[in-house]
Amino acid sequence: MANPDTKAGFYVVQHAATNSRNNETFSIDLTTTKGNVTVPNVSLTGRQSKLIVTDYTFGKHALLYSTAEVLTYGVFDVDVLVFYLREGDIGQFAFKGMPAHLTYKVYGKSTFGPAGTNGIGAYVYTQGPGTSVVKFSDGTIVYLLELWTAWQFWAPSTSKNPTVEADKQVFVIGPYLTRSAYIQHGDVFVSGDSNSTTTLEVYAGNSVKNIVWNGKRLPTTKTAWGSVTAKIAGTEHRHISLPEFKNWKSADSLPEINPDYDDSNWVVCDKQTTLSPTAPVTLPVLFSSDYGFYAGAKVYRGYFDGTSATSVNLTTSGGFAFGFNAWLNGQLIGGHGGDPAQHTLTSQLTFSNATLRATGNVLVVLVDYHGHDETSTAKGVENPRGILGASLSTGSFKTWKIQGNAGGPANIDPVRGPMNEGGLYAERLGWHLPGFDVSKWSRSEGPTTGLAKSGVQFYVTTFRLAIDADLDAPLGIEFSAPAGTVARLMFWVNGYQFGKAVFHIGPQLRFPVPPGIINNRGDNTLAISLWAQTDEGARVSGVKLINYGLYQTDFEFNADWRYLQPKYVGGREKYA
């Protein structure tokens, strides 16, 4: 590739087979404005690619070529160029238009010297550990960063312009994260996170004398090449205490399987046509989207009379690895645990486990939702969800009704958004929201007790955190279940649906929950739905808070996030 304006060239080097794990060393032929150049000792590790440049301008200077990768450059009182390589790899570069009598000093553990390539002022080096710096006699500075060090290199902008200019930034090396930086009266103020005691190095030009890290002025040392350094503390000796989940309250979240359940407020499925490019298998149309229900699980109730039918044929769709269950007159007649390779299932379910009635038989079908498939299936996002077809072995259904997320397309919780809730009974009634009163629930067991048969049980508890205000402590929730568990679990933190575990499919059982969703210093509500897909029931063997690390920070993770966590306000009974 070439930039037609600057004439800069960019060579992308990669293995012919992108899954190759081989380490290769080779020579490369480069075309430059000064002619063709062959550069030896280019290294490529397994599954790696490299970007090699020619005629690359940085500040008032230019590279003729470089086989070391350019990380960035900056314009300060001098031009500063930053390369990176793996430790032990060889890099070679040449300046364009630089004086032939340049001298230099090398700082660090990389070996560096002239390459002597066909009269071109080229230099070759072997990357050492950490940071090395080459200071040339014309003032140009070149940083040589080992790859792991490059991952802790930051170039925060010192302006509010989203297009960062080369002279409106500072270079920072060392911390886990640099959030921002600015210069004032000879001090460079750096905001960020650190997880280990380390040396913080900042290049910001000769006018900078001191480092202020996260609001604290540090003893600062000036380096021979003009940067400033200081020691910053880590979190090696910091600790946090995470509470156990206790004092659970629970309630049935699938009362709809009771034949006498009141579904008078449900939507009647009575459409005979659909705008979907997929034709329904049977009529009426049962596609959930045709009735205003998109995200989350859907619950259907189909009515028929008579005792002669022996089975039902169901075609259901919910996205890859979705599952469903069906109950006839309150008894489980089957379902499907899900298949990672199937987004639509056709199932013949017999009525041998159920007792038919002369009139008023009720088939309840709970269909999970795993999103839409974009282009991975024939019609992608246009694929309908829910029940695509339902037919009895003898006779026909009189009526079908559907219930999905509370309010359907109305988006009744605009803060959390339309994808946050599905059609489970607990979701529709707002049990997952902070402030919902569970004190009158009679059951006090948690998800480790679980269900003794098929169904959906809902669990709610609260917990309090008191993490030090200067700590970034990424948190998550981890679940486990006995081997062979066939169940689907979802959980909400302060009203936000933040994860789904399908134990018999997997693989994710750990779920990060960021600040703003969880309150690092304050009260929190955790709600869990557990859907047992067989009459063996289901339970979890463990649910706990986990910590992914500790980072000293100046970010206000202890902020008041209540505006992001609206509470239960009532009025949801109409969605039952």
Side-chain angles (χ1 to χ4, degrees):
M1 297 182 293
N3 185 319
D5 298 325
T6 66
K7 309 304 180 185
F10 301 90
Y11 293 77
V12 180
V13 182
Q14 64 181 33
H15 292 276
T18 56
N19 62 349
S20 172
R21 296 178 181 271
N22 296 333
N23 297 332
E24 306 287 355
T25 301
F26 54 92
S27 296
I28 186 170
D29 296 325
L30 303 174
T31 299
T32 77
T33 55
K34 299 296 184 181
N36 296 333
V37 180
T38 300
V39 185
N41 297 317
V42 179
S43 297
L44 202 61
T45 59
R47 295 187 174 182
Q48 183 191 15
S49 64
K50 279 188 174 181
L51 192 62
I52 293 174
V53 300
T54 59
D55 298 290
Y56 179 84
T57 299
F58 64 101
K60 297 179 180 179
H61 297 78
L63 289 169
L64 184 62
Y65 65 84
S66 174
T67 60
E69 291 192 86
V70 176
L71 183 56
T72 189
Y73 76 89
V75 175
F76 304 94
D77 45 342
V78 296
D79 292 340
V80 179
L81 181 64
V82 185
F83 290 128
Y84 69 98
L85 284 174
R86 293 178 183 270
E87 183 177 353
D89 281 3
I90 296 174
Q92 183 172 310
F93 65 90
F95 292 123
K96 182 169 68 172
M98 296 278 274
H101 60 276
L102 275 182
T103 60
Y104 55 84
K105 290 184 178 181
V106 182
Y107 306 90
K109 296 183 178 181
S110 296
T111 59
F112 184 92
T117 304
N118 298 328
I120 298 174
Y123 303 90
V124 63
Y125 72 96
T126 300
Q127 182 65 55
T131 301
S132 299
V133 179
V134 183
K135 183 175 182 179
F136 288 89
S137 54
D138 73 335
T140 303
I141 292 173
V142 177
Y143 274 86
L144 313 175
L145 302 183
E146 183 268 332
L147 181 61
W148 289 84
T149 303
W151 289 345
Q152 294 181 313
F153 174 94
W154 310 90
S157 172
T158 56
S159 77
K160 296 182 179 180
N161 189 337
T163 303
V164 180
E165 299 178 13
D167 61 346
K168 297 294 189 299
Q169 59 182 338
V170 300
F171 290 166
V172 181
I173 304 173
Y176 176 83
L177 171 70
T178 297
R179 190 169 286 108
S180 63
Y182 66 93
I183 299 169
Q184 188 176 73
H185 305 308
D187 294 341
V188 57
F189 292 77
V190 184
S191 166
D193 293 1
S194 63
N195 62 339
S196 60
T197 301
T198 190
T199 298
L200 172 69
E201 179 175 350
V202 180
Y203 196 99
N206 280 326
S207 63
V208 171
K209 307 299 181 184
N210 301 294
I211 296 175
V212 180
W213 167 253
N214 287 345
K216 182 180 180 181
R217 184 184 297 272
L218 302 176
T220 305
T221 301
K222 195 83 168 181
T223 66
W225 54 92
S227 67
V228 286
T229 64
K231 288 287 185 182
I232 57 173
T235 56
E236 298 93 335
H237 304 295
R238 304 286 297 275
H239 303 281
I240 63 171
S241 177
L242 298 179
E244 295 182 8
F245 295 129
K246 299 178 180 179
N247 303 318
W248 292 95
K249 300 291 283 186
S250 70
D252 178 21
S253 184
L254 196 63
E256 300 96 331
I257 65 174
N258 185 329
D260 298 323
Y261 180 85
D262 181 6
D263 60 11
S264 57
N265 287 332
W266 286 32
V267 178
V268 176
C269 301
D270 56 3
K271 295 187 177 183
Q272 300 297 309
T273 60
T274 178
L275 295 176
S276 172
T278 299
V281 178
T282 60
L283 292 174
V285 177
L286 299 176
F287 302 166
S288 64
S289 56
D290 279 44
Y291 301 97
F293 301 114
Y294 302 97
K298 289 87 180 173
V299 188
Y300 292 84
R301 286 168 60 88
Y303 289 83
F304 67 97
D305 293 335
T307 60
S308 58
T310 58
S311 64
V312 63
N313 185 284
L314 290 173
T315 301
T316 53
S317 181
F320 290 105
F322 87 103
F324 81 96
N325 280 112
W327 293 262
L328 177 58
N329 296 333
Q331 298 299 313
L332 179 70
I333 61 171
H336 199 292
D339 184 338
Q342 297 291 327
H343 60 84
T344 300
L345 300 167
T346 299
S347 309
Q348 187 84 16
L349 306 180
T350 68
F351 295 165
S352 57
N353 291 341
T355 301
L356 289 172
R357 306 191 297 193
T359 59
N361 294 298
V362 182
L363 178 69
V364 176
V365 184
L366 174 59
V367 185
D368 203 3
Y369 176 75
H370 280 197
H372 278 75
D373 310 318
E374 294 188 354
T375 58
S376 60
T377 55
K379 295 180 174 64
V381 296
E382 297 178 323
N383 281 321
R385 292 292 183 250
I387 297 178
L388 309 190
S391 58
L392 296 168
S393 59
T394 301
S396 60
F397 288 98
K398 295 191 306 178
T399 306
W400 275 100
K401 293 185 176 183
I402 184 175
Q403 188 63 288
N405 63 293
N411 191 19
I412 64 173
D413 186 350
V415 175
R416 296 181 179 92
M419 299 296 289
N420 190 63
E421 299 180 17
L424 293 180
Y425 183 81
E427 295 178 275
R428 303 195 313 261
L429 268 66
W431 293 359
H432 61 291
L433 296 172
F436 182 84
D437 183 10
V438 299
S439 62
K440 296 179 181 179
W441 289 3
S442 60
R443 301 181 63 176
S444 298
E445 63 266 23
T448 54
T449 300
L451 297 84
K453 61 179 183 179
S454 63
V456 181
Q457 193 74 9
F458 207 76
Y459 306 89
V460 177
T461 188
T462 58
F463 61 98
R464 184 172 180 80
L465 294 173
I467 296 172
D468 291 347
D470 71 331
L471 283 181
D472 174 7
L475 301 176
I477 297 180
E478 181 179 75
F479 299 92
S480 58
T485 298
V486 182
R488 295 170 174 267
L489 177 150
M490 291 194 300
F491 74 95
W492 293 257
V493 177
N494 294 322
Y496 285 89
Q497 198 273 99
F498 232 73
K500 174 180 287 188
V502 184
F503 296 106
H504 53 288
I505 295 177
Q508 188 173 1
L509 297 175
R510 282 184 157 203
F511 301 88
V513 183
I517 304 299
I518 200 168
N519 298 311
N520 286 23
R521 295 178 66 84
D523 295 323
N524 297 274
T525 299
L526 171 64
I528 294 173
S529 67
L530 182 60
W531 172 0
Q533 291 205 258
T534 72
D535 269 339
E536 294 181 3
R539 68 180 183 88
V540 301
S541 52
V543 51
K544 63 180 181 180
L545 275 170
I546 57 173
N547 172 230
Y548 292 93
L550 291 178
Y551 309 87
Q552 191 277 328
T553 184
D554 69 339
F555 188 83
E556 294 182 357
F557 287 109
N558 62 329
D560 185 351
W561 305 112
R562 286 179 294 180
Y563 71 100
L564 295 175
Q565 302 165 1
K567 292 187 174 184
Y568 174 80
V569 294
R572 284 185 172 235
E573 294 78 10
K574 60 186 177 183
Y575 301 120

